[in-house]
Amino acid sequence: MADEKAFYLTTPIYYVNDAPHIGHAYTTTAADVATRWRRQRGEDVWFLTGVDEHGTKVQRAADDGGVTPQQWVDRLVADSWLPVLETVDAANDDFIRTTEPRHKERVQRFWEVVRDNGFVYSSMYEGPYCVGCEEFKLPGDLIDGEGEYADQRLCPVHGRPVEQLEEENWFFRLSAFQERLLEHYETHPEAVQPRSAYNEVVSFIRQGLVDISMSRSSVSWGIPLTWDDRQVIYVWFDALLNYATAVGYGAEPGSRDAERFDRVWPPDVNLVGKDILRFHAVYWPAMLMAAGLEPPRKVFAHGWLLVGGEKMSKSKLTGIAPAQIIDTFGSDAFRYYFLRAIQFGQDGSFSWEDMHARYTSELANGLGNLASRGTAMVARYRDGELPPAHDLTAAEQDIVDALAAAAETADRAFCDLDFSTGIVAVKEFVDRVNGYVTEQEPWVLAKDEANAARLDVVLNTICESLRAMAVLYNPLMPKAMSSLWEQLGAQGVLGPLAEQRISDVARWAQLPPGTRVTKGDALFPRIDEAS
């Protein structure tokens, strides 16, 4: 129904001072799979991603590069950030840039509302600031330096000295929302996940919130305050608002943007990395409360991707470009591996060896080989026509029951952002069907015409199982599953793959007898380990 709320999910607003690495692609992929799954359930969905283009880091990077900040971000967005969406097959509904007029105007309007509501005031700021984080730090956030940084206080994220700032700024009355935030999280414990993140946020709030500078006078690259053009809005208090401005906050009443805001707000999920949890689970909901808006229903903080035991980082040269992996394994395998091998919400390590091993065993030898064998046997033994299935035995009923269980588990898991559990549920169904093929030996049945009816049942069962796998894995591996859907002839008899519903996937015997089945290219070609 048009008046029902859409499922609204966002990635973090990525900082655009350099090219994206697979840590960024990991988050975007998770967001894409979650929203594709919701669409496959028949839900109205809005999926937002975008980039944060203001702040000190961008200004300094542009200065170093001898160009204006706008030229710097325009080049990075065009050459690096937009292409990576295509590289990982993201089907986002919108891409917001914080330099866009729609964002800038609505951010200014938002802060005018917060100021009118009495939550903004002028004062002096003096304290540590990490340019890498674009964050005002509390003394307790810092660590002691060693070696070349001995006797200095460092940012624990970047391992570099913080800068000491002193300037007159406008402040946001964060302290006014301590009790409201605690009450909100006690009433809605699901609003920050996983549980470790929830505990961290509640502990931080209970320690006491202090007012925070919401503007900068020493930075020129940002959105000016409408009531004080000597100051720009602090980059985080500009960037966080993308989740509202992109879907129509502050738009003309009655406009399409305003109608979208009414349809999608609040966010159902703000996906973030755990290093920016405080911004999203403390500052962000407090800002919304100050403006009279409902906070996000869930902030989900996933873990870090580790390479050689270190967090993926551009500054430490552990950042790997997504294309380096996808050029070898393909985008479907990239999406499969990172959500299969790492429990979403926890840190996880990446290695080429592990990815190659899983690709070979689970995709090439598992699902890919099953699809290849099944379609080839229909072509060889039944001239490419799906045979009818009569007199199902306990072996087929076991497959039917396994599909129902797998679909139910996967649906629950994907909706909970528990991707690994959902993927394994479908993988185990693939394994079950591969075992069924080995047990039934259709190549042996084909040698005796007396077994023709039994062979029909086995071939039909394999193809019907593949039909369900294509639907269940489509949000995860859309390219390969589209190919499988075509090989099964399902497009012509069942309609587009994206229109198949999760709630209906376990209904057996959907492919009608006589459907043309063809053996196509391998879904997951074998890759030499040296590749």
Side-chain angles (χ1 to χ4, degrees):
M1 296 292 291
D3 58 350
E4 289 183 355
K5 185 192 177 307
F7 178 80
Y8 178 31
L9 182 146
T10 71
T11 69
I13 183 81
Y14 299 119
Y15 203 68
V16 74
N17 66 308
D18 207 340
H21 54 58
I22 60 171
H24 303 100
Y26 172 58
T27 316
T28 300
T29 296
D32 187 65
V33 172
T35 47
R36 283 180 186 262
W37 186 272
R38 294 278 182 165
R39 289 192 184 100
Q40 202 87 52
R41 298 176 94 239
E43 296 182 32
D44 184 13
V45 171
W46 197 259
F47 169 24
L48 173 71
T49 188
V51 286
D52 171 11
E53 303 182 13
H54 290 130
T56 308
K57 272 194 294 189
V58 168
Q59 186 173 314
R60 292 181 181 177
D63 291 344
D64 291 343
V67 295
T68 67
Q70 191 65 58
Q71 290 171 324
W72 179 262
V73 296
D74 284 348
R75 178 181 62 79
L76 275 171
V77 170
D79 294 349
S80 300
W81 288 89
L82 288 174
V84 84
L85 295 174
E86 187 173 343
T87 300
V88 301
D89 276 340
N92 50 298
D93 295 288
D94 195 4
F95 183 89
I96 182 77
R97 298 179 60 185
T98 58
T99 53
E100 292 181 59
R102 61 169 172 162
H103 177 73
K104 295 165 71 173
E105 294 163 4
R106 293 167 184 178
V107 165
Q108 290 175 324
R109 197 166 304 154
F110 177 92
W111 282 108
E112 287 172 353
V113 170
V114 174
R115 180 177 179 239
D116 291 345
N117 288 346
F119 297 112
V120 170
Y121 64 93
S122 179
S123 185
M124 287 296 298
Y125 174 80
E126 182 177 1
Y129 187 84
C130 174
V131 175
C133 293
E134 292 284 12
E135 180 180 4
F136 297 99
K137 295 291 186 179
L138 300 173
D141 293 335
L142 306 178
I143 58 175
D144 291 327
E146 298 176 353
E148 65 174 310
Y149 297 136
D151 302 323
Q152 298 186 69
R153 298 286 281 166
L154 311 183
C155 166
V157 176
H158 292 89
R160 294 179 179 177
V162 292
E163 298 182 9
Q164 201 68 17
L165 294 184
E166 182 177 353
E167 58 186 51
E168 185 173 356
N169 292 335
W170 290 88
F171 277 69
F172 171 55
R173 293 187 190 277
L174 181 64
S175 59
F177 296 92
Q178 178 170 332
E179 294 308 315
R180 284 187 62 182
L181 286 170
L182 282 175
E183 181 183 356
H184 172 67
Y185 287 132
E186 286 167 2
T187 307
H188 302 284
E190 75 287 351
V192 179
Q193 291 183 7
R195 188 68 188 184
S196 57
Y198 174 87
N199 292 337
E200 178 186 334
V201 167
V202 171
S203 175
F204 178 77
I205 297 171
R206 283 182 176 147
Q207 290 172 21
L209 298 181
V210 297
D211 296 346
I212 186 170
S213 175
M214 57 76 56
S215 72
R216 299 289 310 278
S217 60
S218 61
V219 180
S220 59
W221 180 237
I223 300 175
L225 290 173
T226 55
W227 66 86
D228 184 352
D229 60 10
R230 300 168 303 167
Q231 308 244 355
V232 300
I233 297 166
Y234 168 42
V235 61
W236 268 105
F237 284 0
D238 146 14
L240 286 164
L241 285 166
N242 87 93
Y243 309 126
T245 62
V247 293
Y249 171 82
E252 191 70 29
S255 66
R256 181 177 297 178
D257 279 0
E259 290 173 358
R260 177 179 298 122
F261 187 78
D262 290 341
R263 182 167 59 89
V264 307
W265 196 263
D268 292 274
V269 180
N270 284 146
L271 276 188
V272 301
K274 66 179 182 180
D275 50 337
I276 53 175
L277 175 62
R278 188 183 302 175
F279 289 104
H280 285 83
V282 180
Y283 305 158
W284 170 228
M287 289 161 55
L288 293 171
M289 290 173 179
L293 295 175
E294 189 177 344
R297 293 179 175 176
K298 181 186 299 182
V299 174
F300 193 103
H302 67 72
W304 289 336
L305 286 187
L306 307 176
V307 175
E310 285 196 84
K311 179 199 173 192
M312 189 86 47
S313 167
K314 289 173 284 194
S315 60
K316 293 183 179 177
L317 304 180
T318 54
I320 300 170
Q324 290 178 259
I325 298 172
I326 289 171
D327 285 351
T328 298
F329 293 100
S331 58
D332 283 334
F334 177 96
R335 294 161 65 95
Y336 179 93
Y337 173 78
F338 282 100
L339 296 185
R340 157 74 171 100
I342 299 167
Q343 185 67 41
F344 200 63
Q346 300 176 11
D347 293 349
S349 295
F350 164 74
S351 76
W352 290 94
E353 294 78 11
D354 186 45
M355 183 162 187
H356 183 272
R358 288 184 187 271
Y359 176 91
T360 301
S361 65
E362 298 180 14
L363 295 180
N365 293 346
L367 176 57
N369 188 49
L370 176 63
S372 180
R373 287 201 295 174
T375 53
M377 286 189 290
V378 174
R380 184 181 309 124
Y381 303 139
R382 293 296 180 262
D383 296 324
E385 283 196 6
L386 182 70
H390 304 294
D391 302 323
L392 271 60
T393 69
E396 287 74 51
Q397 189 59 49
D398 179 66
I399 298 298
V400 172
D401 295 343
L403 170 58
E408 182 179 351
T409 299
D411 189 33
R412 183 170 57 251
F414 277 106
C415 288
D416 288 342
L417 305 179
D418 184 1
F419 301 107
S420 182
T421 295
I423 293 168
V424 168
V426 184
K427 174 195 168 294
E428 289 177 347
F429 177 63
V430 174
D431 294 343
R432 183 77 67 93
V433 178
N434 265 318
Y436 168 85
V437 175
T438 300
E439 292 166 3
Q440 300 303 317
E441 299 182 311
W443 48 89
V444 174
L445 295 173
K447 294 178 180 179
D448 187 345
E449 187 60 32
N451 296 322
R454 182 62 194 152
L455 179 60
D456 285 348
V457 171
V458 173
L459 295 178
N460 185 287
T461 299
I462 296 169
C463 289
E464 186 63 14
S465 299
L466 289 169
R467 186 269 312 162
M469 293 169 197
V471 175
L472 291 170
Y473 268 157
N474 184 49
L476 182 68
M477 299 183 286
K479 285 183 176 176
M481 295 308 98
S482 292
S483 175
L484 177 56
W485 197 248
E486 290 177 9
Q487 291 180 42
L488 292 172
Q491 178 80 19
V493 294
L494 298 179
L497 176 55
E499 294 179 9
Q500 310 305 305
R501 294 291 165 253
I502 297 297
S503 60
D504 193 45
V505 69
R507 180 170 57 85
W508 199 251
Q510 293 191 37
L511 284 173
T515 299
R516 294 297 305 175
V517 176
T518 55
K519 184 183 183 304
D521 293 337
L523 299 182
F524 305 101
R526 299 187 189 283
I527 295 172
D528 184 356
E529 195 161 4
S531 294

